Amino acid sequence: MTPAEAAQAQLDAYNARDIDAFLIPYHTDVELFRLPGEERFARGRDEMRAIYSELFAGAPELHCRLITRIAHDRFVIDHEDVTGMPGRERLGAVAIYEVVNGLIRRAWFLK
């Protein structure tokens, strides 16, 4: 997958709340970080599965709308509008994906 294809595949699966499809574009040792500060909140698909399975189960109306995507070399930057998150009507977010050999190796999220 190209970096943009990997980002789109995980976005499509996120919106379908399909945990198995969501994890396919991610490297087995993926690392997820919160910005600012680079706090790592998940490492590996197993930790991602636990976090996102709970989110998908608890947010049946969850939807992420892509506002803008920038793809440059191995990086993809998505500006997103997220709705259906429990306790929040709307959430603006920026996701930065580093794609290595067709899989998302690292991702940073700014909310």
Side-chain angles (χ1 to χ4, degrees):
M1 281 189 273
T2 68
E5 289 169 340
Q8 188 61 48
Q10 65 85 41
L11 177 62
D12 291 342
Y14 180 95
N15 283 334
R17 290 168 303 287
D18 180 338
I19 191 64
D20 293 322
F22 178 68
L23 293 173
I24 288 171
Y26 287 92
H27 189 278
T28 55
D29 291 323
V30 64
E31 293 180 282
L32 305 181
F33 300 90
R34 286 190 186 93
L35 291 175
E38 291 206 36
E39 169 199 348
R40 186 172 66 199
F41 69 92
R43 182 173 189 158
R45 283 186 184 166
D46 290 342
E47 286 186 16
M48 279 189 71
R49 179 178 295 278
I51 292 166
Y52 285 93
S53 290
E54 184 176 324
L55 175 62
F56 293 166
E61 301 299 318
L62 185 65
H63 184 79
C64 180
R65 181 177 65 86
L66 181 63
I67 298 170
T68 304
R69 173 170 288 153
I70 299 169
H72 179 74
D73 193 31
R74 68 181 192 270
F75 291 94
V76 176
I77 303 167
D78 284 353
H79 180 204
E80 305 166 339
D81 180 48
V82 182
T83 56
M85 187 79 70
R88 294 185 140 154
E89 181 177 327
R90 174 167 257 109
L91 176 68
V94 174
I96 304 166
Y97 304 102
E98 180 184 21
V99 180
V100 178
N101 297 324
L103 295 173
I104 299 169
R105 181 64 183 90
R106 288 180 197 83
W108 297 263
F109 300 96
L110 177 62
K111 297 181 181 181

PDB file of all heavy atoms in Angstrom, residues 59-84:
ATOM      1  N   ALA A  59     -19.265   3.418  20.975  1.00  0.00           N
ATOM      2  CA  ALA A  59     -19.600   4.590  20.160  1.00  0.00           C
ATOM      3  C   ALA A  59     -20.207   4.143  18.828  1.00  0.00           C
ATOM      4  O   ALA A  59     -19.570   4.214  17.781  1.00  0.00           O
ATOM      5  CB  ALA A  59     -18.358   5.437  19.927  1.00  0.00           C
ATOM      6  N   PRO A  60     -21.457   3.687  18.861  1.00  0.00           N
ATOM      7  CA  PRO A  60     -22.071   3.156  17.641  1.00  0.00           C
ATOM      8  C   PRO A  60     -22.262   4.196  16.531  1.00  0.00           C
ATOM      9  O   PRO A  60     -22.431   3.828  15.373  1.00  0.00           O
ATOM     10  CB  PRO A  60     -23.414   2.596  18.124  1.00  0.00           C
ATOM     11  CG  PRO A  60     -23.684   3.291  19.409  1.00  0.00           C
ATOM     12  CD  PRO A  60     -22.349   3.598  20.010  1.00  0.00           C
ATOM     13  N   GLU A  61     -22.218   5.466  16.862  1.00  0.00           N
ATOM     14  CA  GLU A  61     -22.379   6.530  15.858  1.00  0.00           C
ATOM     15  C   GLU A  61     -21.039   7.163  15.467  1.00  0.00           C
ATOM     16  O   GLU A  61     -20.999   8.179  14.766  1.00  0.00           O
ATOM     17  CB  GLU A  61     -23.313   7.622  16.392  1.00  0.00           C
ATOM     18  CG  GLU A  61     -24.704   7.114  16.747  1.00  0.00           C
ATOM     19  CD  GLU A  61     -25.439   6.531  15.548  1.00  0.00           C
ATOM     20  OE1 GLU A  61     -25.360   7.120  14.455  1.00  0.00           O
ATOM     21  OE2 GLU A  61     -26.084   5.477  15.714  1.00  0.00           O
ATOM     22  N   LEU A  62     -19.952   6.570  15.893  1.00  0.00           N
ATOM     23  CA  LEU A  62     -18.614   7.107  15.627  1.00  0.00           C
ATOM     24  C   LEU A  62     -18.374   7.273  14.129  1.00  0.00           C
ATOM     25  O   LEU A  62     -18.620   6.360  13.348  1.00  0.00           O
ATOM     26  CB  LEU A  62     -17.564   6.166  16.223  1.00  0.00           C
ATOM     27  CG  LEU A  62     -16.114   6.620  16.147  1.00  0.00           C
ATOM     28  CD1 LEU A  62     -15.896   7.879  16.986  1.00  0.00           C
ATOM     29  CD2 LEU A  62     -15.203   5.502  16.635  1.00  0.00           C
ATOM     30  N   HIS A  63     -17.897   8.451  13.743  1.00  0.00           N
ATOM     31  CA  HIS A  63     -17.587   8.708  12.332  1.00  0.00           C
ATOM     32  C   HIS A  63     -16.492   9.764  12.249  1.00  0.00           C
ATOM     33  O   HIS A  63     -16.525  10.774  12.932  1.00  0.00           O
ATOM     34  CB  HIS A  63     -18.814   9.200  11.571  1.00  0.00           C
ATOM     35  CG  HIS A  63     -18.543   9.367  10.113  1.00  0.00           C
ATOM     36  ND1 HIS A  63     -18.515   8.315   9.233  1.00  0.00           N
ATOM     37  CD2 HIS A  63     -18.251  10.467   9.388  1.00  0.00           C
ATOM     38  CE1 HIS A  63     -18.233   8.755   8.026  1.00  0.00           C
ATOM     39  NE2 HIS A  63     -18.066  10.059   8.091  1.00  0.00           N
ATOM     40  N   CYS A  64     -15.525   9.502  11.378  1.00  0.00           N
ATOM     41  CA  CYS A  64     -14.432  10.438  11.142  1.00  0.00           C
ATOM     42  C   CYS A  64     -14.508  10.925   9.706  1.00  0.00           C
ATOM     43  O   CYS A  64     -14.462  10.117   8.773  1.00  0.00           O
ATOM     44  CB  CYS A  64     -13.088   9.744  11.396  1.00  0.00           C
ATOM     45  SG  CYS A  64     -11.684  10.829  11.118  1.00  0.00           S
ATOM     46  N   ARG A  65     -14.634  12.239   9.546  1.00  0.00           N
ATOM     47  CA  ARG A  65     -14.685  12.843   8.212  1.00  0.00           C
ATOM     48  C   ARG A  65     -13.336  13.475   7.925  1.00  0.00           C
ATOM     49  O   ARG A  65     -12.830  14.280   8.712  1.00  0.00           O
ATOM     50  CB  ARG A  65     -15.784  13.904   8.150  1.00  0.00           C
ATOM     51  CG  ARG A  65     -15.914  14.567   6.768  1.00  0.00           C
ATOM     52  CD  ARG A  65     -17.064  15.553   6.740  1.00  0.00           C
ATOM     53  NE  ARG A  65     -16.853  16.683   7.620  1.00  0.00           N
ATOM     54  CZ  ARG A  65     -16.185  17.796   7.296  1.00  0.00           C
ATOM     55  NH1 ARG A  65     -15.625  17.921   6.118  1.00  0.00           N
ATOM     56  NH2 ARG A  65     -16.054  18.778   8.174  1.00  0.00           N
ATOM     57  N   LEU A  66     -12.755  13.090   6.819  1.00  0.00           N
ATOM     58  CA  LEU A  66     -11.477  13.655   6.394  1.00  0.00           C
ATOM     59  C   LEU A  66     -11.715  15.043   5.834  1.00  0.00           C
ATOM     60  O   LEU A  66     -12.511  15.222   4.909  1.00  0.00           O
ATOM     61  CB  LEU A  66     -10.829  12.753   5.343  1.00  0.00           C
ATOM     62  CG  LEU A  66      -9.474  13.186   4.818  1.00  0.00           C
ATOM     63  CD1 LEU A  66      -8.437  13.192   5.930  1.00  0.00           C
ATOM     64  CD2 LEU A  66      -9.044  12.269   3.681  1.00  0.00           C
ATOM     65  N   ILE A  67     -11.036  16.037   6.390  1.00  0.00           N
ATOM     66  CA  ILE A  67     -11.134  17.412   5.897  1.00  0.00           C
ATOM     67  C   ILE A  67     -10.050  17.659   4.864  1.00  0.00           C
ATOM     68  O   ILE A  67     -10.309  18.138   3.766  1.00  0.00           O
ATOM     69  CB  ILE A  67     -11.032  18.420   7.062  1.00  0.00           C
ATOM     70  CG1 ILE A  67     -12.195  18.214   8.030  1.00  0.00           C
ATOM     71  CG2 ILE A  67     -10.987  19.846   6.534  1.00  0.00           C
ATOM     72  CD1 ILE A  67     -12.073  18.992   9.324  1.00  0.00           C
ATOM     73  N   THR A  68      -8.812  17.316   5.222  1.00  0.00           N
ATOM     74  CA  THR A  68      -7.664  17.536   4.335  1.00  0.00           C
ATOM     75  C   THR A  68      -6.656  16.421   4.543  1.00  0.00           C
ATOM     76  O   THR A  68      -6.438  15.986   5.678  1.00  0.00           O
ATOM     77  CB  THR A  68      -6.963  18.876   4.650  1.00  0.00           C
ATOM     78  OG1 THR A  68      -7.905  19.938   4.560  1.00  0.00           O
ATOM     79  CG2 THR A  68      -5.825  19.151   3.686  1.00  0.00           C
ATOM     80  N   ARG A  69      -6.032  15.984   3.464  1.00  0.00           N
ATOM     81  CA  ARG A  69      -4.954  15.000   3.562  1.00  0.00           C
ATOM     82  C   ARG A  69      -3.740  15.533   2.803  1.00  0.00           C
ATOM     83  O   ARG A  69      -3.845  15.987   1.676  1.00  0.00           O
ATOM     84  CB  ARG A  69      -5.376  13.663   2.971  1.00  0.00           C
ATOM     85  CG  ARG A  69      -4.214  12.657   2.889  1.00  0.00           C
ATOM     86  CD  ARG A  69      -4.673  11.271   2.530  1.00  0.00           C
ATOM     87  NE  ARG A  69      -5.366  10.696   3.692  1.00  0.00           N
ATOM     88  CZ  ARG A  69      -6.303   9.771   3.602  1.00  0.00           C
ATOM     89  NH1 ARG A  69      -6.677   9.293   2.433  1.00  0.00           N
ATOM     90  NH2 ARG A  69      -6.875   9.307   4.697  1.00  0.00           N
ATOM     91  N   ILE A  70      -2.590  15.440   3.455  1.00  0.00           N
ATOM     92  CA  ILE A  70      -1.309  15.759   2.824  1.00  0.00           C
ATOM     93  C   ILE A  70      -0.471  14.492   2.866  1.00  0.00           C
ATOM     94  O   ILE A  70      -0.266  13.923   3.937  1.00  0.00           O
ATOM     95  CB  ILE A  70      -0.574  16.891   3.567  1.00  0.00           C
ATOM     96  CG1 ILE A  70      -1.396  18.177   3.560  1.00  0.00           C
ATOM     97  CG2 ILE A  70       0.812  17.123   2.958  1.00  0.00           C
ATOM     98  CD1 ILE A  70      -0.867  19.247   4.495  1.00  0.00           C
ATOM     99  N   ALA A  71      -0.014  14.043   1.711  1.00  0.00           N
ATOM    100  CA  ALA A  71       0.871  12.888   1.643  1.00  0.00           C
ATOM    101  C   ALA A  71       2.221  13.377   1.136  1.00  0.00           C
ATOM    102  O   ALA A  71       2.302  14.047   0.098  1.00  0.00           O
ATOM    103  CB  ALA A  71       0.299  11.830   0.709  1.00  0.00           C
ATOM    104  N   HIS A  72       3.261  13.081   1.895  1.00  0.00           N
ATOM    105  CA  HIS A  72       4.612  13.493   1.523  1.00  0.00           C
ATOM    106  C   HIS A  72       5.585  12.384   1.916  1.00  0.00           C
ATOM    107  O   HIS A  72       5.715  12.060   3.093  1.00  0.00           O
ATOM    108  CB  HIS A  72       4.997  14.800   2.218  1.00  0.00           C
ATOM    109  CG  HIS A  72       6.377  15.254   1.894  1.00  0.00           C
ATOM    110  ND1 HIS A  72       6.700  15.800   0.679  1.00  0.00           N
ATOM    111  CD2 HIS A  72       7.519  15.216   2.609  1.00  0.00           C
ATOM    112  CE1 HIS A  72       7.988  16.088   0.668  1.00  0.00           C
ATOM    113  NE2 HIS A  72       8.510  15.736   1.838  1.00  0.00           N
ATOM    114  N   ASP A  73       6.216  11.801   0.898  1.00  0.00           N
ATOM    115  CA  ASP A  73       7.167  10.725   1.122  1.00  0.00           C
ATOM    116  C   ASP A  73       6.481   9.612   1.915  1.00  0.00           C
ATOM    117  O   ASP A  73       5.434   9.127   1.492  1.00  0.00           O
ATOM    118  CB  ASP A  73       8.421  11.274   1.811  1.00  0.00           C
ATOM    119  CG  ASP A  73       9.593  10.298   1.814  1.00  0.00           C
ATOM    120  OD1 ASP A  73       9.705   9.493   0.874  1.00  0.00           O
ATOM    121  OD2 ASP A  73      10.388  10.330   2.771  1.00  0.00           O
ATOM    122  N   ARG A  74       7.000   9.231   3.072  1.00  0.00           N
ATOM    123  CA  ARG A  74       6.407   8.139   3.845  1.00  0.00           C
ATOM    124  C   ARG A  74       5.401   8.627   4.894  1.00  0.00           C
ATOM    125  O   ARG A  74       4.907   7.835   5.702  1.00  0.00           O
ATOM    126  CB  ARG A  74       7.507   7.299   4.502  1.00  0.00           C
ATOM    127  CG  ARG A  74       8.276   7.988   5.598  1.00  0.00           C
ATOM    128  CD  ARG A  74       9.358   7.055   6.162  1.00  0.00           C
ATOM    129  NE  ARG A  74       9.901   7.571   7.374  1.00  0.00           N
ATOM    130  CZ  ARG A  74      10.954   8.385   7.460  1.00  0.00           C
ATOM    131  NH1 ARG A  74      11.567   8.778   6.361  1.00  0.00           N
ATOM    132  NH2 ARG A  74      11.383   8.797   8.629  1.00  0.00           N
ATOM    133  N   PHE A  75       5.092   9.905   4.883  1.00  0.00           N
ATOM    134  CA  PHE A  75       4.174  10.472   5.875  1.00  0.00           C
ATOM    135  C   PHE A  75       2.849  10.900   5.258  1.00  0.00           C
ATOM    136  O   PHE A  75       2.801  11.365   4.125  1.00  0.00           O
ATOM    137  CB  PHE A  75       4.813  11.687   6.571  1.00  0.00           C
ATOM    138  CG  PHE A  75       5.961  11.317   7.452  1.00  0.00           C
ATOM    139  CD1 PHE A  75       7.259  11.352   6.974  1.00  0.00           C
ATOM    140  CD2 PHE A  75       5.748  10.915   8.763  1.00  0.00           C
ATOM    141  CE1 PHE A  75       8.332  11.005   7.775  1.00  0.00           C
ATOM    142  CE2 PHE A  75       6.807  10.561   9.580  1.00  0.00           C
ATOM    143  CZ  PHE A  75       8.101  10.610   9.085  1.00  0.00           C
ATOM    144  N   VAL A  76       1.789  10.735   6.043  1.00  0.00           N
ATOM    145  CA  VAL A  76       0.465  11.223   5.679  1.00  0.00           C
ATOM    146  C   VAL A  76      -0.050  12.024   6.865  1.00  0.00           C
ATOM    147  O   VAL A  76       0.024  11.558   8.015  1.00  0.00           O
ATOM    148  CB  VAL A  76      -0.511  10.063   5.365  1.00  0.00           C
ATOM    149  CG1 VAL A  76      -1.904  10.593   5.087  1.00  0.00           C
ATOM    150  CG2 VAL A  76       0.006   9.242   4.193  1.00  0.00           C
ATOM    151  N   ILE A  77      -0.559  13.211   6.585  1.00  0.00           N
ATOM    152  CA  ILE A  77      -1.129  14.061   7.631  1.00  0.00           C
ATOM    153  C   ILE A  77      -2.606  14.265   7.298  1.00  0.00           C
ATOM    154  O   ILE A  77      -2.942  14.782   6.228  1.00  0.00           O
ATOM    155  CB  ILE A  77      -0.414  15.421   7.709  1.00  0.00           C
ATOM    156  CG1 ILE A  77       1.089  15.214   7.941  1.00  0.00           C
ATOM    157  CG2 ILE A  77      -1.033  16.296   8.803  1.00  0.00           C
ATOM    158  CD1 ILE A  77       1.918  16.460   7.727  1.00  0.00           C
ATOM    159  N   ASP A  78      -3.468  13.837   8.193  1.00  0.00           N
ATOM    160  CA  ASP A  78      -4.914  13.969   8.011  1.00  0.00           C
ATOM    161  C   ASP A  78      -5.475  14.957   9.023  1.00  0.00           C
ATOM    162  O   ASP A  78      -5.232  14.825  10.224  1.00  0.00           O
ATOM    163  CB  ASP A  78      -5.624  12.621   8.205  1.00  0.00           C
ATOM    164  CG  ASP A  78      -5.470  11.684   7.039  1.00  0.00           C
ATOM    165  OD1 ASP A  78      -4.928  12.092   5.983  1.00  0.00           O
ATOM    166  OD2 ASP A  78      -5.901  10.516   7.166  1.00  0.00           O
ATOM    167  N   HIS A  79      -6.230  15.939   8.521  1.00  0.00           N
ATOM    168  CA  HIS A  79      -7.014  16.827   9.373  1.00  0.00           C
ATOM    169  C   HIS A  79      -8.417  16.247   9.358  1.00  0.00           C
ATOM    170  O   HIS A  79      -8.991  16.032   8.280  1.00  0.00           O
ATOM    171  CB  HIS A  79      -6.988  18.251   8.810  1.00  0.00           C
ATOM    172  CG  HIS A  79      -7.765  19.228   9.624  1.00  0.00           C
ATOM    173  ND1 HIS A  79      -8.263  20.379   9.101  1.00  0.00           N
ATOM    174  CD2 HIS A  79      -8.127  19.222  10.934  1.00  0.00           C
ATOM    175  CE1 HIS A  79      -8.903  21.053  10.034  1.00  0.00           C
ATOM    176  NE2 HIS A  79      -8.826  20.362  11.157  1.00  0.00           N
ATOM    177  N   GLU A  80      -8.969  15.956  10.545  1.00  0.00           N
ATOM    178  CA  GLU A  80     -10.204  15.196  10.649  1.00  0.00           C
ATOM    179  C   GLU A  80     -11.242  15.884  11.534  1.00  0.00           C
ATOM    180  O   GLU A  80     -10.894  16.635  12.442  1.00  0.00           O
ATOM    181  CB  GLU A  80      -9.913  13.814  11.250  1.00  0.00           C
ATOM    182  CG  GLU A  80      -8.856  13.033  10.514  1.00  0.00           C
ATOM    183  CD  GLU A  80      -8.327  11.835  11.276  1.00  0.00           C
ATOM    184  OE1 GLU A  80      -8.460  11.790  12.528  1.00  0.00           O
ATOM    185  OE2 GLU A  80      -7.779  10.941  10.611  1.00  0.00           O
ATOM    186  N   ASP A  81     -12.491  15.560  11.264  1.00  0.00           N
ATOM    187  CA  ASP A  81     -13.621  15.980  12.079  1.00  0.00           C
ATOM    188  C   ASP A  81     -14.299  14.707  12.565  1.00  0.00           C
ATOM    189  O   ASP A  81     -14.811  13.922  11.752  1.00  0.00           O
ATOM    190  CB  ASP A  81     -14.581  16.830  11.246  1.00  0.00           C
ATOM    191  CG  ASP A  81     -15.771  17.302  12.038  1.00  0.00           C
ATOM    192  OD1 ASP A  81     -15.578  17.815  13.153  1.00  0.00           O
ATOM    193  OD2 ASP A  81     -16.905  17.156  11.543  1.00  0.00           O
ATOM    194  N   VAL A  82     -14.278  14.469  13.877  1.00  0.00           N
ATOM    195  CA  VAL A  82     -14.809  13.231  14.453  1.00  0.00           C
ATOM    196  C   VAL A  82     -16.107  13.536  15.189  1.00  0.00           C
ATOM    197  O   VAL A  82     -16.168  14.451  16.008  1.00  0.00           O
ATOM    198  CB  VAL A  82     -13.783  12.588  15.418  1.00  0.00           C
ATOM    199  CG1 VAL A  82     -14.326  11.282  15.982  1.00  0.00           C
ATOM    200  CG2 VAL A  82     -12.452  12.368  14.709  1.00  0.00           C
ATOM    201  N   THR A  83     -17.136  12.750  14.895  1.00  0.00           N
ATOM    202  CA  THR A  83     -18.418  12.863  15.595  1.00  0.00           C
ATOM    203  C   THR A  83     -18.784  11.505  16.169  1.00  0.00           C
ATOM    204  O   THR A  83     -18.239  10.474  15.764  1.00  0.00           O
ATOM    205  CB  THR A  83     -19.530  13.351  14.639  1.00  0.00           C
ATOM    206  OG1 THR A  83     -19.601  12.479  13.519  1.00  0.00           O
ATOM    207  CG2 THR A  83     -19.263  14.778  14.165  1.00  0.00           C
ATOM    208  N   GLY A  84     -19.719  11.526  17.124  1.00  0.00           N
ATOM    209  CA  GLY A  84     -20.202  10.279  17.718  1.00  0.00           C
ATOM    210  C   GLY A  84     -19.340   9.751  18.848  1.00  0.00           C
ATOM    211  O   GLY A  84     -19.550   8.639  19.332  1.00  0.00           O
TER     212      GLY A  84
END
